[in-house]
Amino acid sequence: VHNGGLYKRPFNEAFEETPMLVAVLTYVGYGVLTLFGYLRDFMRQWKIEKCQNATEREEQKDFVPLYQDFENFYNRNLYMRIRDSWNRPICSVPGAKVDMMERVSHDYNWTFTYTGRVIKDIINMGSYNYLGFAQKAGTCQEAAAKVLSQYGAGVCSTRQEMGNLDKHEELEKLVARFLGVESAMAYGMGFATNSMNIPALVGKGCLILSDELNHASLVLGARLSGATIRIFKHNNMQSLEKLLKDAIVHGQPRTRRPWKKILILVEGIYSMEGSIVRLPEVIALKKKYKSYLYLDEAHSIGALGPNGRGVVEYFGLSPEDVDVMMGTFTKSFGAAGGYIGGKKELIDYLRTYSHSAVYATSLSPPVVEQIITSMKCIMGEDGTTVGKARVQQLAENTRYFRRRLKEMGFIIYGNEDSPVVPLMLYMPAKIGAFGREMLKRNIGVVVVGFPATPIIESRARFCLSAAHTKEMLDTV
């Protein structure tokens, strides 16, 4: 309410608190599982039950243990019960529907065997295929196939050596135009775009202010940089402002010198919460306290804004207000890799000092072509309105699906415009049960529990796509 004037459109997010009874029952559930875990470990120790977990060999008993036995307690006794919910292999394009290999376990999920049967036409609610560009037919696939025959699949070199293709140059110019920035650089891996570039931008004597729910790649990049890291509460502007004030008033610990740089790390859409960053307020604080802003648009680029240009367009802001615009091609563009966009000086600096640019192999040519073709489609430069229609379809699917789930009485997290829809399950036994029951009904869904979420906030996560039809969503 205090910052209402900064928003040009309604901003509605909901994070309903865990009901007390549900929280108590969830803790009881974990308590019972832990007790049974100790009992099972006792039985394994006395050879009453067969021990399947990894243990040090007898001839290594005098060595310092490579890993602590108790550290695997959770994996052994809790995760193993529901392990069949993850790593299910699919054998088709991850489009609106997928084919999945059937597997069974005869030893309570310690090992799996494949039956040879393929489960056909499972509605795919797990892939980040927001605009439906993961497909095996169509203009993107044809263009990629043509480039594959011309350039081959591998580049076999880094950008600074022999791996700089004309296609890479074309892609970077297109990305810069798409984002509305001066310059851009593409990288071969989305995760490495964060983990390898943050250390190039900040170091010792710098301060990073990071949202508590930031992705592992941002966390790793921040830690590798050697900068001081302080965490602010998720999307909480009072918490961020307090840290900014303290940083400027007190400076560095002990010496009290001013910080060399202050960098704020945020994401566009948070992939576990379905939450959208409060970007107008973050930018206002960044300007007020003269700090830098690093925005990770992995899930929001292509998926938000009237023209799919991400969270900056969604709020009607200027790309110039964001110092480092990072994103990936792995979600909305149905490809691989990542990018960083911004001022020309920034990109020129990264071309020289980024580990990803100097040491990592550059993007594969067919992948580059997939990105170029899908991006031109979104921008309408292919002479059609297909791209714009997909962006609108995704927004409609998102609002419809969220509304229907709320009407059914489920607790749904996040923003009403976010295509990531977390449905809260809470109890540990529900994690496996929900995934299995959905699969029985030919629906593939991602279930998430501890340690990826807080222990009492287990959830199922639906990712919507423009490729989903209304009938599919109704079935789900």
Side-chain angles (χ1 to χ4, degrees):
V1 176
H2 175 61
N3 293 312
L6 294 172
Y7 293 88
K8 295 171 184 163
R9 52 181 300 149
F11 186 79
N12 300 317
E13 284 198 348
F15 297 97
E16 192 174 321
E17 255 186 72
T18 311
M20 182 56 76
L21 177 64
V22 173
V24 169
L25 289 173
T26 304
Y27 279 122
V28 168
Y30 275 107
V32 170
L33 281 169
T34 306
L35 287 173
F36 270 93
Y38 279 116
L39 178 64
R40 300 285 289 273
D41 276 359
F42 177 77
M43 289 164 76
R44 286 171 189 138
Q45 202 175 343
W46 290 96
K47 307 283 190 287
I48 301 166
E49 184 184 316
K50 188 184 174 191
C51 183
Q52 303 249 32
N53 52 294
T55 46
E56 299 284 359
R57 297 205 305 275
E58 187 59 34
E59 55 264 38
Q60 286 184 312
K61 66 179 189 296
D62 297 331
F63 284 59
V64 175
L66 191 59
Y67 45 80
Q68 297 301 315
D69 190 43
F70 186 75
E71 282 175 7
N72 296 323
F73 180 87
Y74 179 86
N75 282 4
R76 242 184 352 255
N77 298 303
L78 283 80
Y79 168 68
M80 203 52 71
R81 292 167 178 266
I82 51 175
R83 187 176 163 219
D84 58 308
S85 300
W86 293 279
N87 306 320
R88 291 178 178 145
I90 67 165
C91 46
S92 69
V93 171
K97 289 190 174 180
V98 288
D99 300 338
M100 195 178 283
M101 291 169 71
E102 186 180 59
R103 62 180 186 178
V104 290
S105 177
H106 302 292
D107 55 4
Y108 304 101
N109 294 340
W110 284 95
T111 59
F112 293 103
T113 51
Y114 296 101
T115 62
R117 193 171 85 85
V118 172
I119 310 167
K120 296 268 186 191
D121 289 335
I122 292 171
I123 298 174
N124 178 12
M125 298 301 293
S127 298
Y128 308 127
N129 181 26
Y130 297 130
L131 295 178
F133 282 113
Q135 50 197 30
K136 58 184 178 186
T139 51
C140 291
Q141 183 269 337
E142 286 160 16
K146 192 177 169 189
V147 166
L148 179 64
S149 62
Q150 191 181 342
Y151 289 82
V155 184
C156 303
S157 186
T158 69
R159 287 294 293 277
Q160 290 200 353
E161 292 161 3
M162 297 293 286
N164 192 24
L165 305 177
D166 56 344
K167 284 282 166 199
H168 293 135
E169 303 281 341
E170 184 190 340
L171 171 65
E172 288 174 349
K173 286 191 179 78
L174 184 67
V175 170
R177 209 165 72 243
F178 182 64
L179 296 174
V181 294
E182 284 179 16
S183 185
M185 183 170 183
Y187 300 90
M189 181 184 176
F191 189 97
T193 308
N194 277 334
S195 57
M196 294 291 102
N197 282 301
I198 294 171
L201 295 170
V202 288
K204 211 171 174 353
C206 300
L207 175 68
I208 290 174
L209 301 180
S210 176
D211 189 294
E212 64 180 347
L213 296 180
N214 274 345
H215 189 258
S217 57
L218 288 165
V219 173
L220 180 63
R223 287 176 180 169
L224 288 173
S225 72
T228 303
I229 305 164
R230 294 198 180 136
I231 311 296
F232 63 91
K233 290 192 177 75
H234 173 58
N235 248 350
N236 186 319
M237 295 305 117
Q238 288 79 14
S239 173
L240 174 58
E241 185 162 20
K242 186 180 183 303
L243 287 178
L244 282 164
K245 273 181 182 167
D246 287 352
I248 287 161
V249 170
H250 300 298
Q252 295 184 42
R254 295 200 309 276
T255 63
R256 297 293 173 226
R257 284 186 187 143
W259 294 101
K260 290 178 185 170
K261 292 177 205 162
I262 299 174
L263 182 68
I264 302 167
L265 292 188
V266 291
E267 289 185 51
I269 292 178
Y270 290 83
S271 60
M272 281 295 163
E273 310 299 313
S275 166
I276 296 174
V277 66
R278 294 178 174 275
L279 195 60
E281 295 176 66
V282 176
I283 287 175
L285 286 177
K286 162 198 118 73
K287 286 178 175 173
K288 184 176 175 183
Y289 294 100
K290 309 273 190 292
S291 52
Y292 294 102
L293 175 60
Y294 186 110
L295 173 65
D296 176 345
E297 287 218 83
H299 289 267
S300 55
I301 195 70
L304 281 183
N307 301 299
R309 282 172 164 81
V311 73
V312 176
E313 186 190 48
Y314 173 80
F315 286 114
L317 301 165
S318 166
E320 286 183 9
D321 290 334
V322 180
D323 302 288
V324 188
M325 291 182 81
M326 176 271 167
T328 62
F329 304 123
T330 53
K331 319 280 190 298
S332 298
F333 305 99
Y339 66 80
I340 281 185
K343 291 263 190 295
K344 189 175 181 303
E345 300 91 70
L346 168 78
I347 304 304
D348 289 348
Y349 174 84
L350 288 176
R351 282 188 204 284
T352 314
Y353 292 100
S354 163
H355 283 325
S356 277
V358 184
Y359 301 112
T361 305
S362 47
L363 272 162
S364 170
V367 173
V368 173
E369 190 58 31
Q370 161 80 20
I371 303 162
I372 290 171
T373 317
S374 56
M375 196 174 281
K376 281 184 174 171
C377 181
I378 297 167
M379 295 165 80
E381 290 186 9
D382 60 345
T384 70
T385 56
V386 172
K388 186 143 188 177
R390 287 188 188 212
V391 174
Q392 287 168 351
Q393 187 61 53
L394 174 65
E396 280 172 34
N397 286 355
T398 297
R399 283 192 287 272
Y400 176 70
F401 193 70
R402 279 181 170 273
R403 192 184 78 240
R404 286 291 306 275
L405 284 184
K406 279 180 188 161
E407 283 168 5
M408 289 168 78
F410 288 106
I411 294 180
I412 305 297
Y413 270 12
N415 192 293
E416 59 185 17
D417 290 326
S418 163
V420 179
V421 186
L423 180 150
M424 304 311 288
L425 299 174
Y426 300 113
M427 295 171 206
K430 280 189 184 178
I431 302 172
F434 188 86
R436 290 174 200 133
E437 289 299 320
M438 290 296 266
L439 192 56
K440 275 184 201 169
R441 289 156 176 78
N442 261 31
I443 298 161
V445 63
V446 174
V447 284
V448 194
F450 182 80
T453 67
I455 201 154
I456 62 160
E457 288 184 14
S458 303
R459 64 198 67 178
R461 189 187 62 181
F462 298 93
C463 290
L464 292 160
S465 168
H468 289 138
T469 62
K470 190 166 180 290
E471 290 74 46
M472 286 180 195
L473 300 182
D474 285 337
T475 306
V476 177

